[in-house]
Amino acid sequence: MRAWKWGGATVALAAVSAWMACGQSGPGETQGLEKAEAATVTLGDGHCAGVVVGQGRHVLTAAHCVAPDAGEERTNFEDGRQLHGRYVFVDRGRDMAVLELEAKAPVAPLEVAEGPPIPGAMLVFTGRHDRPGEPQRVMVERWGRCPSLPDVPNALFTTMHGVPGDSGAPLVDEQLRVVGLVHGGARCSIAAPTGDVAPEVQRLSREDTQPLARRPTSAPR
């Protein structure tokens, strides 16, 4: 049984699963922790992570994980399956990028929240499927400016303890909505809020029946 590490104490997964279940609402939010873990993917050779969002055809990740000349990327899932995709949105000022997959992901996608979590809010970081370790229950300590996020006035400063390679991995709220992506900083504890890109994810999801080659790619910033 996996356990949660919180404030030096270990909490049984059953207790945390119950905590999450109490906050879930809406159709499709039924798998709790397992759903968030399965939706978290790694990119390429494992240099970064991301999360399946929208209708399952898109992966949200950190823009600093995307090379300037990158067009395509491989996505690695928990069960060993892989899909290739093409970057269709890159915003370096907010450190957000969207990868469109060649086919629908073999996992349930997560919703992207339309607003940021407030200071004091409790979030969940499940970590990467290819690394041992315990999922973390994370608190948002404050909003603030971060020099490497020039277009973000409310970067999330959290209690998360991350390591290089966690960039792009999601932080989710009690409703399993993605509210931030790991950005960096000391202990990799700063996250970029995802609320501003929720409309973009929704737009791309509505258009996912169009041929891949016809999709416009937002210019890197």
Side-chain angles (χ1 to χ4, degrees), residues 39-52 58-67 70 72-78 81-87 89 95-101 128-131 165-170 181-182:
T40 302
V41 300
T42 61
L43 302 179
D45 59 0
H47 63 288
C48 279
V51 58
V52 178
H58 297 92
V59 170
L60 185 60
T61 187
H64 75 264
C65 295
V66 183
E72 297 187 351
E73 186 70 89
R74 185 179 76 247
T75 303
N76 310 297
F77 295 87
E78 187 177 26
R81 282 182 282 185
Q82 299 179 339
L83 286 174
H84 285 79
R86 174 175 175 265
Y87 285 107
F89 176 84
D95 199 24
M96 293 286 150
V98 179
L99 182 72
E100 183 175 74
L101 301 175
R128 293 171 45 141
H129 58 74
D130 60 338
R131 292 176 173 173
D166 285 336
S167 291
L181 298 182
V182 177

Side-chain angles (χ1 to χ4, degrees), residues 13-37:
L13 176 58
V16 180
S17 295
W19 168 76
M20 293 191 67
C22 289
Q24 290 182 10
S25 62
E29 302 292 349
T30 60
Q31 297 302 316
L33 174 63
E34 291 79 10
K35 180 179 178 180
E37 289 177 332

Side-chain angles (χ1 to χ4, degrees), residues 144-220:
R145 285 280 186 179
C146 176
S148 53
L149 290 169
D151 295 341
V152 179
N154 57 343
L156 308 178
F157 289 76
T158 78
T159 59
M160 175 187 163
H161 289 260
V163 296
D166 285 336
S167 291
L171 297 177
V172 302
D173 64 12
E174 294 180 356
Q175 287 77 44
L176 297 180
R177 299 175 303 180
V178 179
V179 296
L181 298 182
V182 177
H183 173 69
R187 299 181 286 109
C188 297
S189 60
I190 299 173
T194 54
D196 287 348
V197 299
E200 186 67 23
V201 171
Q202 295 168 4
R203 182 186 69 80
L204 291 168
S205 296
R206 289 193 299 268
E207 297 175 353
D208 67 7
T209 57
Q210 297 181 14
L212 201 64
R214 294 175 57 187
R215 300 293 185 79
T217 304
S218 298

